[in-house]
Amino acid sequence: MSEEAIEQVAQPEAASMMETPSEVAQGGSGNEFLNMIPEELREHPSISPIKDVENLARSYVNAQRLIGADKIAMPVNPTDEDLDRIYDRLGRPEDPKGYGIEVDGNVITEEVATDYADIAHKLRLSPDQAKGILDYYKSSIEQSGAQSLELAEAAKEQTVESLRSEWGRAFDQKVEAAAKVAQEFADPEMFNITLSDGSKLGDNAEFIKAFAKIADFRQSVTSEDTVSENSRSMAMTPAHAKNEIESIMGDKTHPYWDKKSPAHSSAVEHMQGLMGMLHG
């Protein structure tokens, strides 16, 4: 027999050594254990991924673990009663008091604690979930409060700096006068109104200057002698001091210019005081 004929005979024998997928599923190489189970089970979807006895044993052990575990039935279209039973088993307290919300008297008051516990129970939260949300809320409020305090302090410092620059030596006197008028005519609660920049109304420069102007007006409507006396004793803003200096310098009949006048020495002293107020 020729070599070609021998080769043709050998080819079918080589092909017979190859296994089709169906042959493998029926217990071919690598799946010999399938021959040990009933035929009707071999094609089951849960069996097909298993390739050897070891994996079959692992699958069995895992299945036993699940069978022994406490399971919760999940309805297809759960009602509120179904959900209540499910979340009760997952850890929701029997009633809102079971959350044990701690009152700190600051962020968490008695009212806040009661309302929050009621809402948490309606939402079917577990104690850990309720605590996590409450901790986040407290942290946010505390951070916001700290930031507001920083903004208020910064605004207050800016107001003081602005008024000191504008009023010079008269700063303390004007602030005190403005405070007296405000306490007399304004509601104390007004001073604590929070503005858009986080500052308090009572620390606002324009608010303080408005009451300082009222104080100045009240001072101006007193008797002429009192005004004359107070004009020498009260501190002035640099702007006011400058105006009075210009008025005296432009009035050649003022005692400041007349060395023979009995009021000359007093006028010179007053001018020196004005210069000091002008230049700080």
Side-chain angles (χ1 to χ4, degrees), residues 1 12 17 23 39 48 50 53 59 64 67-68 83 98 100 104 108 117-118 139 205 255 267 272-273 276:
M1 182 179 295
M17 297 297 293
E23 289 173 335
E39 185 175 353
S48 59
I50 302 174
V53 176
S59 297
Q64 287 300 309
I67 292 172
L83 293 174
D104 60 15
I108 308 302
D118 289 340
S139 176
Q272 291 174 344

Side-chain angles (χ1 to χ4, degrees), residues 135-182:
D135 287 346
Y136 172 77
Y137 169 74
K138 288 177 61 177
S139 176
S140 298
I141 293 297
E142 289 169 355
Q143 289 180 7
S144 177
Q147 291 175 354
S148 296
L149 183 59
E150 290 178 2
L151 290 174
E153 287 298 323
K156 185 175 181 179
E157 291 176 4
Q158 184 177 2
T159 293
V160 171
E161 182 179 350
S162 173
L163 293 180
R164 280 193 183 279
S165 175
E166 181 176 344
W167 287 343
R169 292 184 180 182
F171 172 80
D172 291 332
Q173 200 166 33
K174 280 191 166 292
V175 168
E176 183 180 355
K180 287 181 179 180
V181 173

